[in-house]
Amino acid sequence: MFKAGALDKDWPVKEYNEVFKDFNAGKVGIWYEQPGTQKGAQPNNLDLSTLRKNAPEAKITAIPAFEQPDGKSGYVYGSGYYRIWMLSSKLKNDSKKVEKILEMMDYMAKYVPASDQKPDNEYFDWTMGGEGKGYTIVDGQPEKSADYSKYAPLALFNEKLGGFAVGEKVMEDYAKQSKAPESKEFNSVMYDMLSKSNYYISPVGRIHSDVYNEKMAALNQYAANELTKMIAGQRPISEWDKFVDEFMSKGGKEVITDVNKLLDESKIEGEWLR
């Protein structure tokens, strides 16, 4: 495909955000996007309104997960990530103050559905810094101001996370808060599919392997470089087995051995959830 010109010849070296510019200009025919407000996950990425202008007949749809030989289908859950809040050790003898701090954190984490994100919602208005200061209402939806962090108490705490962090509520809000008709259509289609999909929890995300953590970043970088060479014709595909041997010798075998050992010791397996 690369040799035939079906792939962007500058793909291996192009900056991530540059792809969106090419797609919005009609120079790229296939790309991907994830649910989010306005024009996808971030306001400056995929512009669905421009796509509709470039291809008026284009239909926005979601491609479901492929089915496995055993009949199961779905998506792999992300491995997740950690956030750490640290309190001063000077509080070790002041349990009441610690309790109050935790109470404040819980208070700031309260979920506000899209329909209630309005100035007349006292909680939302105060945590966001007040209308006209921390945020403004544009086309019926709140948008943070340039001085948001100056006025919003929420800015001093954990920002509310999207996705499925609070069940499917936030995902459903994406469709409600989309401004452009194309974005609303896209987010509605994605929510409908994802809310009915199955999800696989990888067992690797349930263990802590020092070997994996120490070696995997370099291994992934090596694999990406070598596979890119194969796609671009700089390394023959016939060397695939040689590449695998190289990957294993650079630490891949150690990672696999350690991960399998930890999984066996803890009797951990993957599982499907809906």
Side-chain angles (χ1 to χ4, degrees), residues 74-217:
Y75 300 91
V76 178
Y77 261 129
S79 59
Y81 53 89
Y82 294 98
R83 279 193 173 186
I84 299 176
W85 287 265
M86 291 178 285
L87 304 182
S88 172
S89 60
K90 295 179 181 179
L91 297 171
K92 63 182 179 180
N93 297 320
D94 196 341
S95 60
K96 290 186 177 180
K97 184 172 287 189
V98 172
E99 290 177 6
K100 180 57 66 174
I101 292 173
L102 296 176
E103 182 183 337
M104 292 169 64
M105 293 172 67
D106 283 342
Y107 181 78
M108 288 296 176
K110 181 181 176 181
Y111 168 68
V112 181
S115 57
D116 293 334
Q117 294 180 21
K118 300 176 182 178
D120 59 4
N121 183 306
E122 185 178 358
Y123 171 85
F124 176 78
D125 186 66
W126 181 75
T127 57
M128 290 289 287
E131 184 184 17
K133 294 181 178 179
Y135 73 98
T136 57
I137 298 296
V138 180
D139 297 330
Q141 301 299 334
E143 287 190 5
K144 294 179 182 178
S145 67
D147 293 327
Y148 167 77
S149 60
K150 177 180 178 181
Y151 294 106
L154 184 59
L156 301 175
F157 292 80
N158 174 35
E159 286 287 337
K160 292 180 174 65
L161 303 177
F164 285 75
V166 287
E168 298 167 2
K169 298 176 182 178
V170 175
M171 187 72 75
E172 190 174 13
D173 284 345
Y174 288 161
K176 295 178 181 178
Q177 294 179 309
S178 297
K179 297 176 182 178
E182 292 81 7
S183 297
K184 185 178 291 292
E185 179 185 2
F186 169 75
N187 286 315
S188 296
V189 168
M190 293 299 292
Y191 167 74
D192 184 62
M193 182 189 72
L194 293 174
S195 62
K196 299 175 183 176
S197 298
N198 295 315
Y199 294 87
Y200 181 74
I201 299 179
S202 170
V204 180
R206 291 175 161 175
I207 60 171
H208 181 89
S209 167
D210 289 332
V211 179
Y212 180 99
N213 293 334
E214 291 170 4
K215 298 181 178 293
M216 209 58 212

